Amino acid sequence: MCAFAVEKASKRLTPLSAGPMRWRASVRASGEGTGIGARSATMCDLSLNAMHSKNLSILPLVFAIAAGALAPASVTLAASRHAAPAAHKKPAAAAPAAEPTPGQTAVAGGAPALPAKAWLLMDFDSGQVLASANPDEPLPPASLTKMMTSFLVEQALRSGKLKKDELVTTSQNAWCRGSSTESCMYLPLNGQATVIDLLRGIIIQSGNDASKAIAEHMAGSEEGFAKLMNAEAQRLGMTHTHFVNATGLPDPAHKASARDLAILARAIIHDSADFYPIYAEREFKYNNIKQGNRNALLYTDPTVDGLKTGHTEEAGYCLVASSKRNGMRLITVILNTHSAQARADETRTLLGWGFGNFEKATPIQANAAVATAKVKFGKADTVAAGLGSPWSLTVPRGQQVQTSAQINPDLQAPLAKGAVIGKVVATSNGKPVGEAPLVAQADVERAGLMLRAWQHVAYLFGK
């Protein structure tokens, strides 16, 4: 008999060569159980399903005319005792034969129609949204909230504000009271746990107790921690999100959008690389209680390595996932679908469509000179403009990518190597698919007084 019967509640210039440059593109309670009365969707269900993824005389006049040029210029510069479920071998479901969700858009044709209230597919490298439906609608995020809780813990660990072995005490407020109606790590009342164990309890077990305990430890109270969460959300550009608590427990003011949650997932993968492998761990044992990760895709698709599930009656079943195949990473968000099975199947469908219809393209190599920029009042009249770092795009399969460079006007020396002096824009089928900054590929020193004066005169008469 499966012991895990209840899902816990918690929660532009001229190129060097003529013509356009072309390259072939070749889950009521949060925390997956955040809320009391949350609808049952269990890991047991997952197991059962597994059985059925860039000329001296005139000098005074010259100096008078050029006076303005002589001033210095600025430098441009969850909680049952059970084993992890068996592998789910059910093949990925085909895209539902349904009308597209209202508000649905896609970069490529043939995007699936999913029954979730909102969903999104994002390219990790560029942050480009490849397909979505209602991506900016604020919805209850349930335990997906805990991605921000864990991200703040991870960043505090990276900065040294927290230590992995630092002990955190479980207050009366954070303690789960032995309840089985919400997701818990089962921290003992007034007991202590290390920060790294709490981080695992938040990510894998979706523990409300772990989330509250670390929130109180870091900010004095859960309300104070919510202020940190909202400040970080603002910094990341999550414009349709507002956090009230660290768990995702239901509150009318606690909302997040699919796009914002994808932005957060991207930040976790990029900025918390040392801790991101925890999101792929299938189980965690604490206080002699072993609990499995509720992300069913971790058991069925080896390319999926995160991130978080969520469920409440209000939020429905939610899942943020990420998968990397053949050097391309995609992020998916499913919000408010009807079952744990549905959120997994819809994610598989979305990932399958994404990897099948898009591919990576490298329009321009890093440090390659793609344009020549004119520079005023320098020892050199021009400087090469190129990318300062590698640039890749995810584009529809079989489509060409065109690039055009745009240089900032009125560049003046001195210029430092690496200073941003423009940008390069990539388009495919006439639609923008990305852009990258162009930087100076060399230093340009400021010319001497005499040379600057003559250059200024030449510039005036050259207009």
Side-chain angles (χ1 to χ4, degrees), residues 28 48 50 106 109 114 153 169 209 222 256 274 310 384 387 407 447 451:
R28 188 165 206 147
L48 292 174
L114 305 177
V153 175
T169 301
D209 49 357
E222 193 172 2
D274 292 344
L387 299 177
I407 294 295
L451 182 55

Side-chain angles (χ1 to χ4, degrees), residues 140-163:
S143 280
L144 300 183
T145 297
K146 295 184 177 113
M147 291 197 301
M148 179 59 84
T149 303
S150 60
F151 182 62
L152 290 178
V153 175
E154 292 153 5
Q155 295 309 297
L157 285 167
R158 292 184 67 237
S159 69
K161 293 180 180 179
L162 289 177
K163 304 297 182 184

Side-chain angles (χ1 to χ4, degrees), residues 13-253:
L13 340 153
T14 301
L16 292 178
S17 58
M21 295 174 280
R22 302 174 186 267
W23 288 262
R24 185 69 172 178
S26 141
V27 105
R28 188 165 206 147
S30 162
E32 194 70 17
T34 312
I36 298 175
R39 190 174 168 185
S40 173
T42 71
M43 293 304 294
C44 177
D45 295 332
L46 296 177
S47 295
L48 292 174
N49 287 331
M51 295 183 292
H52 287 321
S53 167
K54 333 219 243 245
N55 176 332
L56 289 177
S57 63
I58 67 168
L59 279 178
L61 176 60
V62 170
F63 279 95
I65 296 175
L70 304 183
S74 59
V75 179
T76 303
L77 308 165
S80 24
R81 301 159 175 77
H82 67 89
H88 189 324
K89 297 182 180 180
K90 184 177 179 179
E99 292 298 319
T101 306
Q104 179 170 321
T105 60
V107 174
L114 305 177
K117 190 169 185 178
W119 55 265
L120 179 143
L121 176 67
M122 176 183 282
D123 170 48
F124 167 74
D125 287 332
S126 67
Q128 180 187 10
V129 175
L130 305 178
S132 66
N134 303 318
D136 296 315
E137 181 177 354
L139 295 170
S143 280
L144 300 183
T145 297
K146 295 184 177 113
M147 291 197 301
M148 179 59 84
T149 303
S150 60
F151 182 62
L152 290 178
V153 175
E154 292 153 5
Q155 295 309 297
L157 285 167
R158 292 184 67 237
S159 69
K161 293 180 180 179
L162 289 177
K163 304 297 182 184
K164 290 183 180 181
D165 58 355
E166 186 173 337
L167 294 176
V168 178
T169 301
T170 307
S171 70
Q172 182 81 26
N173 178 64
W175 182 47
C176 273
R177 298 169 177 78
S179 170
S180 62
T181 58
E182 60 176 320
S183 293
C184 295
M185 181 179 170
Y186 291 113
L187 296 165
L189 176 62
N190 297 323
Q192 292 184 314
T194 63
V195 168
I196 194 65
D197 278 350
L198 289 174
L199 183 59
R200 281 190 161 84
I202 294 167
I203 295 171
I204 303 169
Q205 298 173 332
S206 197
N208 286 350
D209 49 357
S211 300
K212 292 178 181 179
I214 198 66
E216 293 171 352
H217 185 76
M218 292 179 66
S221 67
E222 193 172 2
E223 292 79 10
F225 189 75
K227 292 180 180 179
L228 299 179
M229 298 170 76
N230 288 319
E232 186 64 17
Q234 184 176 16
R235 186 188 72 84
L236 292 174
M238 299 169 63
T239 58
H240 296 85
T241 291
H242 180 73
F243 295 114
V244 175
N245 55 58
T247 62
L249 285 165
D251 187 290

Side-chain angles (χ1 to χ4, degrees), residues 116-452:
K117 190 169 185 178
W119 55 265
L120 179 143
L121 176 67
M122 176 183 282
D123 170 48
F124 167 74
D125 287 332
S126 67
Q128 180 187 10
V129 175
L130 305 178
S132 66
N134 303 318
D136 296 315
E137 181 177 354
L139 295 170
S143 280
L144 300 183
T145 297
K146 295 184 177 113
M147 291 197 301
M148 179 59 84
T149 303
S150 60
F151 182 62
L152 290 178
V153 175
E154 292 153 5
Q155 295 309 297
L157 285 167
R158 292 184 67 237
S159 69
K161 293 180 180 179
L162 289 177
K163 304 297 182 184
K164 290 183 180 181
D165 58 355
E166 186 173 337
L167 294 176
V168 178
T169 301
T170 307
S171 70
Q172 182 81 26
N173 178 64
W175 182 47
C176 273
R177 298 169 177 78
S179 170
S180 62
T181 58
E182 60 176 320
S183 293
C184 295
M185 181 179 170
Y186 291 113
L187 296 165
L189 176 62
N190 297 323
Q192 292 184 314
T194 63
V195 168
I196 194 65
D197 278 350
L198 289 174
L199 183 59
R200 281 190 161 84
I202 294 167
I203 295 171
I204 303 169
Q205 298 173 332
S206 197
N208 286 350
D209 49 357
S211 300
K212 292 178 181 179
I214 198 66
E216 293 171 352
H217 185 76
M218 292 179 66
S221 67
E222 193 172 2
E223 292 79 10
F225 189 75
K227 292 180 180 179
L228 299 179
M229 298 170 76
N230 288 319
E232 186 64 17
Q234 184 176 16
R235 186 188 72 84
L236 292 174
M238 299 169 63
T239 58
H240 296 85
T241 291
H242 180 73
F243 295 114
V244 175
N245 55 58
T247 62
L249 285 165
D251 187 290
H254 194 94
K255 305 281 186 178
S257 71
R259 190 193 307 274
D260 287 355
L261 291 167
I263 290 171
L264 176 55
R266 187 175 180 232
I268 291 172
I269 298 169
H270 184 271
D271 298 339
S272 297
D274 292 344
F275 302 99
Y276 183 62
I278 297 176
Y279 292 80
E281 294 182 12
R282 299 181 182 181
E283 63 183 31
F284 177 55
K285 185 176 183 180
Y286 184 81
N287 197 18
N288 292 318
I289 301 172
K290 183 167 67 175
Q291 300 183 63
N293 196 315
R294 295 173 176 82
N295 185 352
L297 274 68
L298 295 177
Y299 308 91
T300 63
D301 187 341
T303 71
V304 173
D305 52 13
L307 292 161
K308 190 74 186 73
T309 60
H311 169 251
T312 66
E313 288 186 9
E314 183 183 19
Y317 291 83
C318 310
L319 175 59
V320 175
S322 182
S323 172
K324 187 174 183 179
R325 305 177 189 176
N326 300 320
M328 180 167 67
R329 178 180 288 281
L330 299 179
I331 295 169
T332 61
V333 180
I334 299 291
L335 297 182
N336 202 323
T337 196
H338 59 84
S339 69
Q341 182 69 56
R343 71 185 175 192
D345 288 343
E346 290 169 26
T347 299
R348 291 188 189 97
T349 296
L350 199 49
L351 288 173
W353 178 80
F355 286 114
N357 286 273
F358 294 88
E359 61 186 349
K360 302 302 292 185
T362 304
I364 301 171
Q365 297 297 323
N367 300 317
V370 298
T372 299
K374 293 183 178 181
V375 181
K376 297 177 184 177
F377 314 130
K379 289 185 177 181
D381 296 329
T382 61
V383 65
L387 299 177
S389 59
W391 183 37
S392 65
L393 299 168
T394 296
V395 298
R397 289 186 179 275
Q399 289 191 9
Q400 290 184 327
V401 175
Q402 294 81 40
T403 62
S404 60
Q406 300 174 6
I407 294 295
N408 296 340
D410 199 32
L411 293 175
Q412 297 185 18
L415 276 178
K417 181 179 180 180
V420 175
I421 59 175
K423 66 180 181 179
V424 59
V425 178
T427 59
S428 181
N429 277 5
K431 297 180 180 180
V433 294
E435 63 180 51
L438 287 174
V439 301
Q441 299 293 291
D443 294 325
V444 181
E445 296 182 16
R446 190 165 172 82
L449 184 66
M450 293 290 296
L451 182 55
R452 296 205 313 273

